[in-house]
Amino acid sequence: MSGILAILEQREGKLHKMALEAVAAAQQFGRELNQPVYVALAGAGADAAAGALTQYKIAKIHVVNHALTADYTPDGYAIAFRQLIEQHQPKYVIFPHTYQVRDFAPKLATAMNRVLVSDVVHHRAENGALVLVRQMFQGKINADVHFTGDAPWFASIQAGAFRADNLEAGSAPVETMTPDIKPEQVRTRPLELFRESARAVDLTAAEIIVSVGRGIKEAENIHIVQELADALHGELAASRPICDNGWLPMERQVGSSGQTVAPKMYLAVGISGAIQHLVGMKGAKTIVAINKDPEAPIFEVADYGIVGDLFQVVPALIDALKK
């Protein structure tokens, strides 16, 4: 067995926002293990989504084409991808950790008598194999996971764990694969596609995020941090206590019970850095923290730290930015 296979998600020809992160992970694994990288997609519009991937260094893009995989069903996808895996025998099978993947990937792995290591946040290569790191108990513990038994080995990648802007450019051929699926094997019938309600802000798409925590003291003071976000042309976010108090809407919450983000810069203002918050933002390329407590856990992950009163530091930063 050889190769890294990334099974991606797409809808109506558009790649899921985590798809390229999974490709970045597969490329990094491939470099470290000296293995080629392959990609697979299914569903209506997969050809168009595959076209968007041909600009990257991928050995081959497999498009699964069958009437019973045009609409997503866990049975159809598990059967189709199992046949693809058995045909090409990759060593590792990588998924983005999306809702769809959570639905069918455990079924696929179990059907092949394998386990799925979900929500991988880090990794390292040892003796020609991967050691995967996943978090437990809301990020309080990191667990090293070693695969035993025969390949293929399955894993899903947490949002923000690998950066899509690190993708290696190249060219990739596209190949169509038609699985053998019978109608009676697909027990579920797809209904109307679920669409998320429109949100005022998509923090996962923001390049700069300024996040506020309990150090702001009162809701009336949040405008100070909003001014800083505006000066940086960034988005305003918050830790859970701010949203729980109703000071900002829940869609702006970052953390284990909110959004997981990986911006180019994350500026934490008055956030102590509880582990539940850190798991949602430590994938940021650059982390800046402002906190009056020099022992605040946020400084352990920050690239730059300012120990001081945010009510003095933030206005000074705004003035400097405006100048």
Side-chain angles (χ1 to χ4, degrees), residues 21 30 41 71 123 125 143 183 222 248 278 305-306:
E21 295 180 15
L41 306 103
D71 294 318
H123 81 288
I222 289 180
L248 284 175
L278 296 183
I306 301 173

Side-chain angles (χ1 to χ4, degrees), residues 97-114:
H97 194 70
T98 66
Y99 288 113
Q100 187 181 95
V101 164
R102 296 179 212 186
D103 189 43
F104 84 88
K107 177 182 179 68
L108 170 61
T110 302
M112 300 188 70
N113 198 28
R114 303 293 191 275

Side-chain angles (χ1 to χ4, degrees), residues 186-263:
V186 181
R187 297 167 296 174
T188 54
R189 294 294 177 265
L191 300 176
E192 184 180 356
L193 287 176
F194 169 79
R195 298 183 185 276
E196 295 183 9
S197 59
R199 295 187 297 187
V201 59
D202 180 9
L203 294 178
T204 62
E207 293 191 349
I208 297 175
I209 294 176
V210 180
S211 196
V212 59
R214 283 183 291 188
I216 201 66
K217 295 182 180 178
E218 297 177 358
E220 292 73 18
N221 296 328
I222 289 180
H223 73 90
I224 301 173
V225 184
Q226 178 68 71
E227 290 178 22
L228 178 58
D230 293 341
L232 287 166
H233 305 290
E235 289 288 353
L236 179 66
S239 60
R240 179 172 179 171
I242 299 300
C243 297
D244 282 349
N245 288 338
W247 296 357
L248 284 175
M250 297 301 295
E251 64 189 21
R252 293 191 179 269
Q253 180 184 329
V254 170
S256 59
S257 55
Q259 295 194 53
T260 299
V261 299

Side-chain angles (χ1 to χ4, degrees), residues 20-43:
L20 293 182
E21 295 180 15
V23 177
Q27 285 187 340
Q28 187 168 341
F29 296 165
R31 286 193 297 270
E32 295 174 0
L33 301 178
N34 194 28
Q35 295 281 337
V37 172
Y38 304 93
V39 163
L41 306 103

Side-chain angles (χ1 to χ4, degrees), residues 250-294:
M250 297 301 295
E251 64 189 21
R252 293 191 179 269
Q253 180 184 329
V254 170
S256 59
S257 55
Q259 295 194 53
T260 299
V261 299
K264 289 184 177 179
M265 185 178 76
Y266 188 89
L267 176 51
V269 180
I271 294 176
S272 62
I275 188 65
Q276 292 85 354
H277 185 76
L278 296 183
V279 298
M281 45 66 72
K282 63 182 182 180
K285 193 168 185 179
T286 301
I287 300 173
V288 182
I290 301 171
N291 200 293
K292 65 180 180 180
D293 179 8

